[in-house]
Amino acid sequence: MNRALKLFFFLILLLQSACNFGVAELQKDKINPYSISLGKFKTYEQALKFKMTLNDSVRAHLRLESVGKEHYKLFYGKYPSAYSAGEKGFDLFKKTLVKDYEINRNGQRVLDEFANVPFIAYYLGKPAVFNYNLKTKSTEILWSRSNRRVLSLNIAHNAESVFIITAESMVNHGNVSAIQNAAVVILHRNEDETEELMQIGNVNQVYTYWDQPDTFRVNVTFPDSNNSRIIYQRIASWDSYGKKGSLTERSFDLLLQGFPIKPKRKPELLSPNGQYQIRAVHNNNRQYFYLKNFPDRSEILFTSSSGEVEDIRWSLDSRYIFIQTKTLLVKGKKADTLIRQQIIIYDTAAKKVIRILEGTGFQNLLVRGKLLFFDEHLNGASHITIVDLTNQSHYDSIDMPGGCVLNSLSD
C-alpha cells in the first residue's frame, strides 16, 4: 500500500471518529439540555475578560458559546433538569464562587426550579400560592383566584409542576368539614400556566399524597345522598405532568366502620440509593434507631429518642437522615397536654448526629439539596424555617401576615 493510499484511509478514519464524536456530543446534549449561564456579553473579549475573574474550579467547567448576532454566553456544565442545574448553580452562589447565574436550555432562560420554592400564605384574606426565592430570600404571589382558596399544594418530585387543591369555602363542624366546590389544579411552573384537572365538588374531606415518586393521589370523602350511614371515598391519580391515571371508589358504613380518617405518613426507611435501611427498636419507652449499610454488610446504632416517630425523610443523595419525633408531656393538676418535638439530623458520611432541633408545631419536612425546610407553629402563628445542612446553621425564615406553610394551612 503506497503512502498516498495510507493517507487516504487515515483521513477516512479521522472523519469517522469526528462524526462519531459529534453524534455522541449531540446525544449527551439531548440527555443533558440544561446549563448554568454566568453572563451574556456583547463581545468575545468581554466574555474572556470576565472568565478570567472567576475561580479556577469554575473556569475548568466553562464553555463559551455564541447566542445570536454578536452575543456570547458563558455556560457551566450540562444537566438533565432545570432542578439539578439550579442545585449546582445555588451551590456555587452560596460558596460565593459566582455572584449571579441563571438556568438556560438551548441558550434560552428557563425557570430555576431549585431556587424557587412554592408555599401557601394569605393574599387578600384567602390562602394562595406564593414563591420563595433562595438566592434573593424574597417572596412573591404565584397563583391566586378571588373566588377560590388554596387548601393544599404538593410539589412534583421533578419540581416541574405543582398540584393545587382549591375550594370556594371550607367550614369545620367538629371533626367533619364541609368543603364547597373543590377542584384539582396543576401549575406547570416553567410555562407559568395552570390547568384544571378535576372538579371534585362538595365533599367532607380531601387529602393528598405521593404514592410513588411519579404518582400523585387525591382522596376525597363525601356522603351518600340517600343514606346518611354511607360514606363514599374516591381516589384519583395523575402522573407528575398531570396525565390522568386510575380512579377508584369504595364505601364505608359509619355505624359499622366509622368515618375514614387520614392515614399517617409512612416513614421512609430505605434510602433513595438503596444502600441504607433504618430499623427502629422499642425498649423501655424509648426507640433506638439502627442503620444498616448493605455494601458494608454492617449495622450501627446511630441515635435514640423517647418520642413517637412522626416522620422519617432522606436527602435525595442519601447523605442526610431526618427523624421527626413527638413527646406528650403532662403539666399541672389539670393535666394539660404539652407537646415537645425533635428533628434529629444524621449525616451518613460523617457517621454522626449533626444537629437536634427542638420545639413545638413542627410539620411538613421538605428537603431541597442541602437545605431543610419545615413548618413551625409558635404562639398561634406559623412560619417556615430553613436550615443549611452544610454548616447546621439557620439559613432563613419565611414570615407572612397571617402565617405561611409548605403544604396546608388546615394541618
Side-chain angles (χ1 to χ4, degrees):
M1 187 179 293
N2 59 40
R3 185 176 179 182
L5 194 58
K6 288 181 178 179
L7 182 60
F8 173 76
F9 280 112
F10 174 76
L11 290 174
I12 292 294
L13 289 172
L14 189 64
L15 286 172
Q16 285 180 338
S17 298
C19 289
N20 290 335
F21 177 78
V23 170
E25 283 298 301
L26 288 173
Q27 284 296 108
K28 185 178 179 181
D29 289 345
K30 188 175 181 180
I31 297 172
N32 301 284
Y34 296 91
S35 295
I36 303 165
S37 172
L38 299 184
K40 187 176 182 180
F41 308 89
K42 291 183 178 181
T43 67
Y44 185 85
E45 290 73 19
Q46 286 178 348
L48 287 180
K49 185 177 180 181
F50 176 79
K51 180 180 177 180
M52 296 309 297
T53 66
L54 299 172
N55 185 279
D56 289 346
S57 62
V58 176
R59 289 206 306 268
H61 298 276
L62 289 181
R63 65 188 187 278
L64 183 59
E65 293 184 10
S66 174
V67 288
K69 189 177 181 180
E70 296 182 356
H71 281 92
Y72 300 87
K73 277 189 177 183
L74 278 173
F75 291 110
Y76 181 103
K78 296 181 180 181
Y79 303 88
S81 67
Y83 182 94
S84 57
E87 182 175 2
K88 182 59 181 180
F90 180 71
D91 183 60
L92 296 173
F93 175 80
K94 195 157 66 72
K95 291 176 179 177
T96 66
L97 294 175
V98 299
K99 292 182 179 180
D100 198 10
Y101 66 92
E102 66 179 34
I103 307 305
N104 276 220
R105 176 170 182 158
N106 299 325
Q108 299 299 314
R109 182 174 183 173
V110 296
L111 177 71
D112 185 343
E113 292 164 354
F114 178 85
N116 292 284
V117 185
F119 67 99
I120 299 177
Y122 286 95
Y123 180 71
L124 300 178
K126 291 186 177 181
V129 180
F130 281 75
N131 184 76
Y132 170 80
N133 188 285
L134 281 168
K135 287 166 55 181
T136 61
K137 296 184 178 181
S138 62
T139 61
E140 62 180 346
I141 185 70
L142 188 62
W143 189 87
S144 175
R145 297 293 183 271
S146 60
N147 62 337
R148 313 292 293 179
R149 58 186 294 124
V150 173
L151 301 184
S152 69
L153 70 79
N154 290 264
I155 307 170
H157 286 253
N158 57 20
E160 293 180 4
S161 56
V162 178
F163 288 87
I164 307 168
I165 307 299
T166 74
E168 286 186 3
S169 64
M170 183 177 70
V171 180
N172 292 316
H173 301 289
N175 295 326
V176 180
S177 300
I179 302 170
Q180 301 295 316
N181 293 325
V184 184
V185 174
I186 186 171
L187 170 63
H188 301 287
R189 299 184 66 202
N190 191 52
E191 293 83 4
D192 197 22
E193 294 179 352
T194 56
E195 174 189 358
E196 187 175 284
L197 300 177
M198 175 182 280
Q199 275 283 347
I200 298 174
N202 301 332
V203 294
N204 293 130
Q205 178 179 257
V206 180
Y207 63 85
T208 59
Y209 58 98
W210 288 95
D211 192 25
Q212 299 291 335
D214 60 351
T215 303
F216 176 70
R217 298 194 188 277
V218 177
N219 188 315
V220 300
T221 305
F222 56 95
D224 188 302
S225 58
N226 298 317
N227 188 345
S228 59
R229 282 183 52 173
I230 303 301
I231 288 286
Y232 291 101
Q233 196 171 66
R234 184 177 294 151
I235 304 172
S237 65
W238 294 267
D239 69 10
S240 299
Y241 303 97
K243 183 180 179 181
K244 191 172 183 180
S246 62
L247 179 67
T248 59
E249 190 173 293
R250 55 193 177 188
S251 62
F252 295 83
D253 188 314
L254 290 176
L255 295 182
L256 297 177
Q257 299 163 286
F259 191 88
I261 61 173
K262 179 181 177 179
K264 293 182 178 180
R265 177 182 167 83
K266 189 179 295 184
E268 299 173 5
L269 301 180
L270 186 66
S271 65
N273 63 10
Q275 293 186 4
Y276 303 101
Q277 187 172 32
I278 297 170
R279 182 170 64 93
V281 177
H282 296 260
N283 188 19
N284 295 328
N285 297 321
R286 195 169 183 85
Q287 291 198 80
Y288 296 87
F289 298 94
Y290 293 82
L291 184 65
K292 189 169 186 177
N293 186 319
F294 291 111
D296 292 349
R297 296 182 180 181
S298 62
E299 186 178 64
I300 61 169
L301 172 65
F302 68 94
T303 192
S304 66
S305 174
S306 59
E308 173 190 351
V309 173
E310 292 187 292
D311 200 358
I312 297 178
R313 303 279 183 103
W314 293 79
S315 60
L316 189 60
D317 61 2
S318 300
R319 176 166 179 175
Y320 298 102
I321 302 170
F322 310 91
I323 301 176
Q324 181 180 323
T325 66
K326 176 178 69 176
T327 303
L328 300 180
L329 305 174
V330 177
K331 179 182 178 182
K333 296 181 180 179
K334 294 183 179 180
D336 296 330
T337 302
L338 296 178
I339 296 176
R340 183 185 68 193
Q341 289 177 293
Q342 286 186 333
I343 299 176
I344 303 169
I345 306 175
Y346 179 79
D347 186 336
T348 60
K351 297 183 179 180
K352 65 179 182 179
V353 173
I354 58 174
R355 189 168 182 185
I356 298 177
L357 304 168
E358 295 191 344
T360 59
F362 293 158
Q363 285 182 324
N364 300 321
L365 304 184
L366 173 67
V367 186
R368 181 160 290 225
K370 291 181 173 58
L371 297 171
L372 173 66
F373 293 68
F374 59 90
D375 296 342
E376 188 171 10
H377 298 262
L378 291 172
N379 302 320
S382 56
H383 68 268
I384 299 169
T385 297
I386 309 171
V387 175
D388 187 344
L389 301 172
T390 55
N391 52 19
Q392 302 92 54
S393 64
H394 177 86
Y395 180 77
D396 196 16
S397 291
I398 307 174
D399 294 282
M400 303 288 286
C404 60
V405 292
L406 291 165
N407 177 256
S408 172
L409 280 165
S410 61
D411 283 349

